Amino acid sequence: MLRRLIALLLVLFAVPAIAQTAPTAPRVQTLDEALAQDAAEYAKQFDVPQAEAERRLRALADSVAVTDTIETVYRDRVAGVSIEHKPRLRILVYLTGDEAVPNRTLDADGLTVPIVFRTGAKASRDRVIWAITYHQEAIRAALPSPPAMGLDPRTGELVIVVPSATAAAQGREALRAKLEGIAGVPVRLLVLDQIDINLSAPKGGSRVEGVSPADGKRYLCTTGFTVTDGTRYGVATAAHCLDDLTYLDPKRTATPLSFVGQWGWGYQDVQINAASTPLPGLFFADTGRTVERPVTGQRSRDSTRAGDFVCHRGETTGYSCAIVQLTDFAPAGDLCGGPCLPTWVTVAGPTCRGGDSGAPVFIGTTAMGIVKGATYRGGACIFYFYMSTDYIPQPWRLVIGPTTPPVPPLPFGAIGPP
């Protein structure tokens, strides 16, 4: 029998730090070079030419404003928006009710992208998120162990993950009806024996180490993005990493980072460690830490769609790209200092391992989030989940652009120098 669903807090102590070979000095990519690198991964995964992959990624970036407008106009009906990549690129909008909405197209970078409206979703996104937020405690109490749950944007259902033993003991349909009665929205059970864990293990996407006071051993995490409060500069990583960290550049030069604070409850998992000097808005975007990218903006969670193509650079797994699965996910157990709110974004595996906590999630030069943890089944990573950059604590915010600071912090979503 497979293991029943449990939630484990995997802190740094599972990932001892190891030495790495020092690479050559990194260089800063242009925006076009950053896009080309990510497009090469897209081309491999979806079997399209490089030029087509680049056009698609540009079109997807251009489509964000369009889908934001659609979600505002149809707010009371929208269950979700998803991106479909095969057999061709198109955008799907799922609405409750049966009143049809005419399809439309988006012309971007030489591509005509269909926007298809589908009716019949069972509940709106707002309604399901409200149900998770306000009925999570009762749902958890109705099961032997606290489950993962989230919105399926394609159907408008609240998906609750339960282990096979629980489904067998209570009866799948009886359990579904019971949980649906508690939540007050349509529920679909996903029977899956999984484990949700944190991935813990000064430029973004780089290595930080610390010595655990619990066992005296040295462990690692990954830095996310550089941040500023307008006076100080620092790096953001995951809150469940060690407090006292030392930044190691590609040449293994060590720089102590002073602990500022950590925020790890409900919807946040972020820690900030300050540097003694100003830091540019750069992060590493390749496995070997030979190239850096400037941050030119950020994308909110509300503007992120299922099917979006994103990348991350973890200190353990290196650089990889995959598809967003859910944008409203609450991990199982008590990984958020208690129950997690449905604010986490999931990205398809299998590239995630201990030590990747705090890693930057991005597409091109747009910052998306900071890696928190992952869901495993049979020892394999099914997906990882990240905290949106929306939730970096004020007054801290991303440093924009590669210019050597001090630079004044820019407004949310602002575009910095190329």
Side-chain angles (χ1 to χ4, degrees), residues 10-59:
L10 180 66
V11 293
L12 297 176
F13 316 133
V15 189
I18 57 175
Q20 292 185 338
T21 303
T24 58
R27 66 178 182 82
V28 177
Q29 289 181 321
T30 66
L31 272 63
D32 286 343
E33 288 172 337
L35 175 72
Q37 180 183 337
D38 296 346
E41 293 299 309
Y42 185 100
K44 287 191 293 186
Q45 293 187 33
F46 296 104
D47 194 25
V48 297
Q50 174 74 18
E52 170 72 6
E54 292 182 20
R55 283 194 297 269
R56 288 191 180 193
L57 291 187
R58 289 193 183 97

Side-chain angles (χ1 to χ4, degrees), residues 15-313:
V15 189
I18 57 175
Q20 292 185 338
T21 303
T24 58
R27 66 178 182 82
V28 177
Q29 289 181 321
T30 66
L31 272 63
D32 286 343
E33 288 172 337
L35 175 72
Q37 180 183 337
D38 296 346
E41 293 299 309
Y42 185 100
K44 287 191 293 186
Q45 293 187 33
F46 296 104
D47 194 25
V48 297
Q50 174 74 18
E52 170 72 6
E54 292 182 20
R55 283 194 297 269
R56 288 191 180 193
L57 291 187
R58 289 193 183 97
L60 286 174
D62 290 344
S63 72
V64 170
V66 176
T67 54
D68 282 351
T69 299
I70 289 173
E71 291 197 72
T72 299
V73 171
Y74 298 100
R75 181 68 182 255
D76 59 340
R77 295 185 62 190
V78 170
V81 177
S82 71
I83 310 299
E84 187 175 86
H85 301 272
K86 289 184 175 182
R88 60 175 299 188
L89 181 66
R90 63 176 183 168
I91 299 170
L92 303 176
V93 182
Y94 301 89
L95 303 174
T96 60
D98 55 10
E99 181 182 352
V101 173
N103 297 334
R104 60 188 73 172
T105 58
L106 167 68
D107 293 320
D109 201 51
L111 290 179
T112 298
V113 182
I115 302 176
V116 180
F117 290 84
R118 291 182 172 174
T119 59
K122 296 182 178 181
S124 69
R125 179 189 184 194
D126 283 351
R127 187 179 166 204
V128 174
I129 292 175
W130 184 93
I132 299 174
T133 302
Y134 289 96
H135 299 297
Q136 186 180 43
E137 183 177 355
I139 293 171
R140 287 161 59 98
L143 294 167
S145 58
M149 60 187 83
L151 165 69
D152 184 337
R154 299 169 180 83
T155 65
E157 294 172 301
L158 168 55
V159 178
I160 300 178
V161 183
V162 298
S164 55
T166 300
Q170 300 193 33
R172 185 165 181 165
E173 179 54 30
L175 179 58
R176 187 203 65 77
K178 175 184 176 182
L179 296 176
E180 189 169 284
I182 295 172
V185 294
V187 167
R188 185 175 82 247
L189 296 185
L190 177 59
V191 179
L192 183 67
D193 294 282
Q194 67 177 52
I195 301 174
D196 290 358
I197 60 173
N198 284 328
L199 286 177
S200 63
K203 297 184 179 78
S206 193
R207 187 184 189 92
V208 282
E209 296 182 356
V211 176
S212 167
D215 62 8
K217 295 181 180 179
R218 184 173 295 274
Y219 297 94
L220 70 91
C221 264
T222 306
T223 57
F225 299 102
T226 57
V227 293
T228 180
D229 64 358
T231 303
R232 296 170 294 175
Y233 291 81
V235 294
T237 188
H240 58 269
C241 295
L242 291 175
D243 293 353
D244 296 319
L245 295 172
T246 298
Y247 169 79
L248 296 175
D249 69 14
K251 295 181 179 180
R252 301 285 299 177
T253 301
T255 302
L257 300 173
S258 60
F259 177 76
V260 173
Q262 59 185 206
W263 299 259
W265 298 92
Y267 62 95
Q268 290 176 302
D269 191 339
V270 57
Q271 174 175 307
I272 293 173
N273 288 72
S276 59
T277 59
L279 302 174
L282 296 170
F283 64 95
F284 286 106
D286 67 323
T287 297
R289 294 193 296 174
T290 62
V291 295
E292 298 169 336
R293 290 189 190 177
V295 174
T296 61
Q298 63 189 101
R299 187 179 303 172
S300 70
R301 184 174 67 90
D302 282 344
S303 295
T304 303
R305 294 79 52 99
D308 266 327
F309 188 75
V310 301
C311 305
H312 91 287
R313 194 273 167 198

